[in-house]
Amino acid sequence: MAALATTSSLSDYHRLSISTYRDQLRKSGKASSIDVAYSYRGKSYRYPIQLTTTAPHYGGLRHWFICKSCSNRASVLYRKGIYVCRRCMRLGYQSQLQTPIDRQFDRLSAIRERLEWQRGVAHGIGERPKGMHRTTYDKLMSEHEQLTAKVWQASLDKLNCTR
Ligand SMILES: [Zn+2]
């Protein structure tokens, strides 16, 4: 089946609406995908966005995008690297809201949990859990050490008492 190509001006848009393509789609009839090409944050993207249709009561065909991330139907896609539906956009948005320090804390907690250590860096380091490989333990230990240093440093920076 045929694919529609978009213009390069697409790179200026962060929102992609199926209505933009209504005329093109009506003419081509059976396009199964729309090819997009753009660069975003220094990375080049070129891939097809799959389309699907429904038949509304008033006749004709209604076109939809298929979200690459969740495979659901969407009439509008948002650019987050690749174009995704609003729901996927929101999901990603929450992790973007986290500051790097929050993420480091989260990672620290995850490591401590795997090591079966008490929550919170202030509790210091514990033992190697029973049944955990030495190499795994060493790897987690060194990551824990680096993260702890970063987290402490960030806390000190926040308090403005480093220099
Ligand atoms: Zn989605």
Side-chain angles (χ1 to χ4, degrees):
M1 273 200 259
L4 294 175
T6 61
T7 60
S8 57
S9 67
L10 189 64
S11 60
D12 304 320
Y13 294 95
H14 292 273
R15 192 172 170 277
L16 197 60
S17 174
I18 194 77
S19 61
T20 317
Y21 298 101
R22 197 170 286 147
D23 289 342
Q24 284 184 64
L25 288 168
R26 198 173 289 144
K27 271 179 225 153
S28 73
K30 277 184 183 159
S32 61
S33 63
I34 289 176
D35 286 334
V36 290
Y38 55 90
S39 64
Y40 178 69
R41 291 186 181 167
K43 231 179 122 185
S44 292
Y45 293 85
R46 179 180 288 271
Y47 57 91
I49 296 174
Q50 299 304 314
L51 300 175
T52 187
T53 52
T54 53
H57 294 302
Y58 51 82
L61 276 181
R62 183 161 181 200
H63 286 87
W64 302 84
F65 295 122
I66 297 176
C67 171
K68 248 186 156 40
S69 177
C70 67
S71 301
N72 281 321
R73 245 174 17 209
S75 56
V76 179
L77 295 177
Y78 300 84
R79 193 165 69 193
K80 199 187 93 185
I82 62 163
Y83 278 98
V84 294
C85 73
R86 192 172 53 198
R87 215 169 39 172
C88 293
M89 184 72 187
R90 275 220 200 97
L91 288 177
Y93 187 60
Q94 284 194 335
S95 60
Q96 274 171 28
L97 281 179
Q98 272 195 331
T99 60
I101 187 78
D102 286 336
R103 279 198 290 271
Q104 283 166 0
F105 264 115
D106 281 356
R107 180 67 192 138
L108 258 180
S109 308
I111 292 172
R112 293 188 72 87
E113 207 165 295
R114 265 195 79 186
L115 290 167
E116 297 166 23
W117 294 353
Q118 209 177 331
R119 265 181 109 80
V121 230
H123 291 289
I125 59 172
E127 302 277 301
R128 174 159 59 107
K130 267 190 196 136
M132 180 181 277
H133 274 284
R134 183 91 223 174
T135 45
T136 311
Y137 178 68
D138 287 346
K139 233 174 79 187
L140 288 173
M141 272 290 275
S142 76
E143 197 186 343
H144 184 273
E145 206 172 287
Q146 283 169 21
L147 280 169
T148 310
K150 278 188 201 156
V151 164
W152 282 124
Q153 190 56 53
S155 311
L156 291 173
D157 286 347
K158 231 177 216 168
L159 295 169
N160 233 347
C161 56
T162 40
R163 21 198 111 82

